[in-house]
Amino acid sequence: QKEVEQNSGPLSVPEGAIASLNCTYSDRVSQSFFWYRQYSGKSPELIMSIYSNGDKEDGRFTAQLNKASQYVSLLIRDSQPSDSATYLCAVNRGLGTGGFKTIFGAGTRLFVKA
Amino acid sequence: IAGITQAPTSQILAAGRRMTLRCTQDMRHNAMYWYRQDLGLGLRLIHYSNTAGTTGKGEVPDGYSVSRANTDDFPLTLASAVPSQTSVYFCASSDSGQRDTQYFGPGTRLTVL
C-alpha cells in the first residue's frame, strides 16, 4: 500500500462545475496536509494547506480533512480551463527523531472542458 | 527575489559520466530537498538537508550524493550516471517546521543515454 494514494485520473469536468480531488494516507500520525498544483512542464506550487479536521476555504478552493478516515480532499468550485493541471497531495508526518517526512502522492490530472 | 534556481535546465548525459545539478535559494530557508519525478510515480525524495552542514537520505538515495556547505546552495551529484536516472529533478526549500510550505525550483530534465 502506498503511503499517499490518489486516483491518477484524468478527471474531466465541464467549465463551471465543481471538481473533487481525493487523497488517502496510510499513517495515522500524519499531521500536516498540502495540495500542490503542477502545470505540464512546470514545478509544483502550493494551493492549500490544512492541519485540523474540517474544511478550509480559500477563494474557489476548499480543502477537507478527516483524520479518522485518513482522507483529505480538494474541491474546486466554478472550475476554469486554467485549473487544468496535475494536483499533488502531500502529507507530513513526524519522525521519532524530531524531524518529519513529506510523502507526495502520484497526482491526479484534471481537465476542465470549456 | 528569484526564489529557487536550478541549473542546467536540461542535460543529455552519457552513461558513466559524472554530473552535478545545481540548486540555489535566496529565501534563507533552513531545509532543502531534492526530488525526482517520473511518470506515474510522483515526486520521490532523494536527499534532504534540514540545515546547513547536515544531510539525510530520502526514499531513493542510491547513486546520488549531496552537500550543504552553506544555507543557499544544495548541489546534487550523480557520480556515475545510469539510464535509470533519466528523470526530471526538482530542488525545493522550506523553513524547517512541519507546517511549512515547500517551494520548488523550475526543475532539471536529465536524460542519460
Side-chain angles (χ1 to χ4, degrees), chain A residues 38-111:
Chain A
Q38 186 176 23
Y39 291 115
S40 181
K42 301 296 185 182
S43 56
E45 57 180 345
L46 182 74
I47 296 295
M48 293 281 290
S49 58
I50 187 166
Y51 315 111
S52 304
N53 279 328
D55 294 359
K56 179 181 178 182
E57 186 175 320
D58 184 0
R60 296 187 296 112
F61 299 95
T62 299
Q64 299 175 318
L65 176 60
N66 184 326
K67 290 187 178 181
S69 299
Q70 296 174 235
Y71 177 94
V72 58
S73 65
L74 179 70
L75 301 178
I76 307 175
R77 291 181 300 281
D78 188 23
S79 295
Q80 301 297 309
S82 59
D83 294 326
S84 298
T86 296
Y87 289 80
L88 304 173
C89 174
V91 174
N92 281 1
R93 64 177 178 89
L95 301 173
T97 58
F100 64 92
K101 178 180 179 181
T102 302
I103 305 295
F104 282 85
T108 298
R109 286 182 296 152
L110 172 66
F111 290 110

Side-chain angles (χ1 to χ4, degrees), chain A residues 2 29-32 34 36 38 41-46 49 51-52 88 92-94 99-100 102-106, chain B residues 33 35 37 40-43 45 48 50 59 90 94-107 109:
Chain A
K2 292 181 181 178
V29 301
S30 299
Q31 299 177 17
S32 304
F34 305 84
Y36 288 82
Q38 186 176 23
K42 301 296 185 182
S43 56
E45 57 180 345
L46 182 74
S49 58
Y51 315 111
S52 304
L88 304 173
N92 281 1
R93 64 177 178 89
F100 64 92
T102 302
I103 305 295
F104 282 85
Chain B
Y33 316 85
Y35 294 92
Q37 187 173 39
L41 297 177
L43 287 162
L45 183 66
Y48 66 93
N50 287 329
E59 181 184 357
F90 288 103
S94 72
D95 284 327
S96 51
Q98 191 176 142
R99 294 188 170 194
D100 294 316
T101 302
Q102 292 191 25
Y103 295 88
F104 286 82
R109 183 174 295 275

Side-chain angles (χ1 to χ4, degrees), chain B residues 19-96:
Chain B
M19 176 73 191
T20 295
L21 307 185
R22 299 185 297 278
C23 174
T24 299
Q25 55 108 355
D26 63 3
M27 297 176 282
R28 308 304 293 173
H29 284 162
N30 287 320
M32 297 187 74
Y33 316 85
W34 273 106
Y35 294 92
R36 60 178 290 173
Q37 187 173 39
D38 303 289
L39 192 64
L41 297 177
L43 287 162
R44 293 184 292 168
L45 183 66
I46 304 170
H47 284 287
Y48 66 93
S49 169
N50 287 329
T51 189
T54 69
T55 63
K57 293 182 179 180
E59 181 184 357
V60 288
D62 294 343
Y64 306 94
S65 64
V66 292
S67 62
R68 187 87 183 277
N70 57 62
T71 297
D72 298 343
D73 301 300
F74 191 42
L76 176 74
T77 297
L78 290 68
S80 179
V82 295
S84 62
Q85 292 177 311
T86 294
S87 188
V88 179
Y89 291 85
F90 288 103
C91 179
S93 72
S94 72
D95 284 327
S96 51

